[in-house]
């Protein structure tokens, strides 16, 4: 596996503050994944002084790709952890925007809110602290945390594959701009790239008039989705082809 900070997956850790010591242990076991640039981990203790708690958490919930829920009686009993963070994450998971992984840290009844429909870690939902419940038993929990890391790596690999931009074949690119005029005997193929010019597009998201493909590509890479509308024969299809080709060259997904 190889990665970089620019494509690190955003990980949200949800936990009860009663389990903060276990959250800190988990983060230590993330050292290799973080050093390799595979994940960007966030939790509520990273909110800076003066930061708006709910706004910061909401922004991370809406942006994260992997949700780790550290399950214990205290987590289940926390209205905020369960009713806010977990249920909002479920909505994102149902929309295909994120993955949810319960991590059982202490023995508890976690058959609530459809939590048990998600395959939990460690394997067989054996709590991390079983047989090593004292804070001084950190080394005895290493094997359990390693199983957690192995499971998370599997999810990371699957997500990376899902998010990887498809390679455009040489044959596809060579015919991307070609149009067959089957109704005209003298014109068989026309190269649309010959008529491609810089766009004149108004971007409603930031009230900007975009007049170069370079800037339009930047917008497309920033936004999750871009909808281009225009009148008939205004150049939407050609613009879409230029965008696809340029994004492919940059290694970004275009669909």
């Amino acid at each position: 596996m190889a990665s970089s900070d620019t494509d690190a997956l955003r990980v949200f850790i949800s936990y009860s503050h009663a389990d903060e010591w276990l959250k800190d242990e988990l983060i230590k076991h993330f050292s290799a994944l973080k050093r390799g640039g595979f994940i960007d981990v966030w939790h509520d203790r990273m909110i800076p002084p003066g930061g708006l708690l709910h706004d910061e958490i909401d922004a991370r919930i809406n942006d994260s790709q992997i949700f780790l829920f550290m399950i214990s009686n205290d987590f289940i009993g926390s209205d905020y952890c369960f009713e806010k963070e977990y249920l909002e994450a479920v909505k994102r998971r149902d929309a295909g925007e994120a993955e949810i992984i319960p991590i059982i840290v202490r023995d508890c009844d976690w058959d609530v809110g459809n939590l048990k429909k998600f395959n939990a870690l460690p394997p067989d939902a054996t709590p991390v602290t079983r047989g090593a419940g004292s804070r001084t038993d950190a080394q005895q929990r290493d094997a359990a945390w390693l199983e957690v890391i192995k499971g998370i790596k599997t999810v990371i690999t699957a997500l990376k594959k899902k998010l990887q931009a498809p390679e455009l074949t040489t044959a596809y690119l060579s015919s991307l701009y070609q149009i067959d005029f089957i109704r005209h005997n003298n014109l068989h193929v026309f190269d649309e790239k010959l008529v491609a010019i810089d766009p004149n597009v108004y971007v409603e998201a930031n009230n900007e008039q975009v007049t170069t493909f370079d800037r339009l590509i930047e917008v497309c890479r920033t936004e999750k989705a871009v909808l281009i509308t225009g009148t008939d024969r205004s150049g939407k299809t050609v613009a879409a082809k230029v965008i696809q080709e340029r994004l492919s060259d940059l290694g970004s997904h275009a669909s």
Side-chain angles (χ1 to χ4, degrees), residues 13-20 23 43-45 68-70 75 78 81 85:
I13 300 180
S14 176
Y15 66 104
S16 164
H17 285 178
D19 299 318
E20 185 155 19
K23 177 264 293 177
H43 52 85
D44 63 351
R45 293 301 191 191
L68 305 179
F69 292 100
M70 303 186 69
F75 177 91
S78 168
C81 287
E85 295 176 348

Side-chain angles (χ1 to χ4, degrees), residues 102-105 119-129 143-145 147-148:
I103 300 175
I104 313 304
V105 294
N119 194 18
L121 292 172
D124 302 321
T126 302
V128 170
T129 56
W145 284 127
E147 292 301 316
V148 170

Side-chain angles (χ1 to χ4, degrees), residues 218-229:
E218 289 180 10
V219 173
C220 291
R221 297 189 76 187
T222 301
E223 302 295 332
K224 290 184 178 180
V226 176
L227 176 65
I228 300 178
T229 62

Side-chain angles (χ1 to χ4, degrees), residues 61-82:
I61 288 175
N62 291 328
D63 188 53
S64 295
Q65 296 157 298
I66 298 176
F67 289 89
L68 305 179
F69 292 100
M70 303 186 69
I71 307 301
S72 68
N73 279 326
D74 289 291
F75 177 91
I76 300 299
S78 168
D79 289 340
Y80 199 88
C81 287
F82 196 83

Side-chain angles (χ1 to χ4, degrees), residues 5 8 22 30 33-34 45 49 66 92-93 129 131 140 152 162 176 190 204 206 210 225 236-237 241 243 251:
D5 292 337
L22 291 167
F30 277 147
L33 285 172
K34 290 170 67 177
R45 293 301 191 191
I66 298 176
R92 296 211 50 231
R93 199 268 182 185
T129 56
Q140 284 69 42
I152 292 173
K162 177 181 177 182
L176 179 61
F190 178 74
E204 292 189 356
N206 52 9
V210 173
K236 300 185 297 297
T237 301
K241 292 179 178 181
I243 291 170

